[in-house]
Amino acid sequence: MSSTQTLSNEITASATGELLTVSNLYKSFPIRSGFFNKITAKVHAVDNVSISIKRGKTFALVGESGCGKTTTGRCILRLIEPDSGKISFQGQDITTLAGEDLRKIRRKMQIIFQDPFSSLNARKSVGAAITEGMKIHKLASANEQVERLAHLLEVVGLRPEYADRYPHEFSGGQRQRICIARALSVDPDFIVCDESVSALDVSIQAQIINLLEELQEERGLAYLFISHDLAVVRHIADEVGVMYLGQMLEQAPCDTLFEDPLHPYTKALLSAVPVIDPAMRNKRVILEGDVPSAANPPDGCRFHTRCRYCRQECKSGFIPVYEPTPGHKVKCVLYG
């Protein structure tokens, strides 16, 4: 793609306000068995997911473990190759990029993993881990790397002299701050936060969330925030998508979703969120049955096997996405 065409795409994306647009993303994983290791089935991890994220905004993906949240995030970054769908970043289709073109885009799209300890190389010092991206993308000279390293450590609340230490010498919260500094080292525009606070103590969670919000305000960062903690999501998200068995069941602005959930699955999730004020507590919705296998998902609505409002039309055929109010989308025949 020419530099003129790339600039034109970036201007178009800037005008619409969309930094990232994902359309009809699909990803499956083969199941092999038998003597010849043949493919006998597929796990439908992400099935026809579409989202868009504006610059400086946070889109949260929520749902039960195994619903496809992490796979969606990694497909967007091309850490896992999607089977089909389109991913546009700054107006440029990155689905088919490879080699040097993909490497340049990856500088602008980073990830903070769930486990900060396993995502850091135990044999590398903190300074080496943070400056590695600068060296790969040739963003600074040797002297400038030292200055930027000290600045990044201060930005995330750590002392510059910690640069010579190794990951095992830090607490969980400090290691997550190091991972944030590493993500910031290449000046990204978009960061996938994959359960980035779930392994931390509650007090440390609050510090990391506040840090992410401060960095977003200062740098105009966009986040894809993957979490199952709805209390944290309500605090940080601008828009929320609810996933179940690989599909997006509901999508809405954060306040709208929490105050007026539409899909029966969303209502069940929100009923489990602890509320301090007894007068504000809703009746707990208990879901019966188990989540079906992603290798053999039910026809029709993926949730119909556990839904108390299930109708005949829910059990077969295509379930469209309805939009009862502007910006509030739900995949449920109750609103058709």
Side-chain angles (χ1 to χ4, degrees):
M1 181 177 289
S2 68
S3 59
T4 303
Q5 187 175 358
T6 301
L7 179 60
S8 176
N9 289 336
E10 290 182 359
I11 292 173
T12 302
S14 178
T16 60
E18 306 295 344
L19 178 70
L20 175 78
T21 304
V22 180
S23 304
N24 307 118
L25 189 68
Y26 177 79
K27 176 63 182 177
S28 64
F29 296 98
I31 298 176
R32 299 177 181 273
S33 60
F35 182 77
F36 294 102
N37 201 30
K38 290 184 178 179
I39 298 176
T40 56
K42 289 183 178 181
V43 174
H44 304 275
V46 179
D47 191 354
N48 199 34
V49 169
S50 299
I51 62 175
S52 61
I53 307 176
K54 296 182 178 181
R55 187 180 299 275
K57 300 296 182 180
T58 300
F59 187 101
L61 274 183
V62 302
E64 296 173 88
S65 297
C67 69
K69 305 186 298 296
T70 293
T71 303
T72 299
R74 297 191 179 194
C75 282
I76 290 172
L77 296 178
R78 298 277 307 279
L79 297 178
I80 299 175
E81 290 298 331
D83 295 344
S84 62
K86 182 179 179 180
I87 306 166
S88 296
F89 181 72
Q90 294 179 333
Q92 180 181 4
D93 183 2
I94 67 170
T95 315
T96 57
L97 292 184
E100 183 66 15
D101 292 333
L102 180 59
R103 187 181 69 84
K104 290 179 180 179
I105 280 292
R106 278 184 168 158
R107 176 197 156 190
K108 293 295 185 181
M109 306 172 73
Q110 292 293 302
I111 185 170
I112 302 170
F113 292 98
Q114 178 176 359
D115 184 358
F117 188 72
S118 63
S119 65
L120 292 169
N121 189 335
R123 297 186 177 184
K124 281 189 175 183
S125 68
V126 166
I130 295 174
T131 57
E132 184 176 19
M134 302 182 204
K135 295 175 182 177
I136 291 173
H137 294 283
K138 301 177 182 179
L139 299 180
S141 64
N143 290 335
E144 290 172 338
Q145 287 176 20
V146 174
E147 294 177 2
R148 291 185 65 175
L149 171 61
H151 174 68
L152 284 168
L153 288 171
E154 289 179 345
V155 165
V156 298
L158 296 175
R159 297 168 65 179
E161 53 265 34
Y162 289 173
D164 295 328
R165 297 185 182 181
Y166 289 81
H168 72 273
E169 299 179 72
F170 296 91
S171 67
Q174 289 175 320
R175 284 195 286 265
Q176 198 62 290
R177 290 173 186 269
I178 293 165
C179 292
I180 293 173
R182 180 177 61 180
L184 293 173
S185 66
V186 291
D187 295 327
D189 293 321
F190 171 68
I191 299 178
V192 174
C193 302
D194 183 11
E195 301 275 13
S196 54
V197 297
S198 63
L200 308 177
D201 294 337
V202 174
S203 60
I204 304 300
Q205 281 187 13
Q207 294 176 19
I208 298 299
I209 291 297
N210 290 337
L211 173 61
L212 291 173
E213 289 183 321
E214 290 171 6
L215 292 171
Q216 184 176 54
E217 185 175 351
E218 293 172 2
R219 299 167 179 248
L221 295 171
Y223 296 137
L224 176 65
F225 193 83
I226 299 169
S227 179
H228 58 263
D229 190 332
L230 294 173
V232 172
V233 166
R234 187 166 194 176
H235 178 75
I236 194 173
D238 296 293
E239 191 168 357
V240 182
V242 181
M243 289 189 69
Y244 180 82
L245 211 61
Q247 290 189 346
M248 191 79 76
L249 297 188
E250 187 168 357
Q251 185 176 326
C254 186
D255 290 340
T256 302
L257 186 104
F258 277 87
E259 293 171 7
D260 184 28
L262 298 181
H263 200 283
Y265 177 63
T266 307
K267 294 177 180 179
L269 283 183
L270 295 182
S271 74
V273 178
V275 178
I276 296 176
D277 186 357
M280 298 295 292
R281 292 176 186 167
N282 296 322
K283 185 178 179 180
R284 180 76 166 89
V285 178
I286 306 297
L287 295 178
E288 298 180 357
D290 297 323
V291 179
S293 170
N296 186 27
D299 294 332
C301 176
R302 294 283 171 91
F303 185 64
H304 84 257
T305 58
R306 306 173 73 192
C307 182
R308 65 175 68 184
Y309 306 105
C310 179
R311 300 175 179 178
Q312 186 59 39
E313 58 263 41
C314 302
K315 299 179 181 180
S316 62
F318 174 74
I319 308 298
V321 176
Y322 300 100
E323 194 168 355
T325 58
H328 195 162
K329 302 175 183 178
V330 61
K331 193 179 182 71
C332 181
V333 298
L334 295 176
Y335 303 93

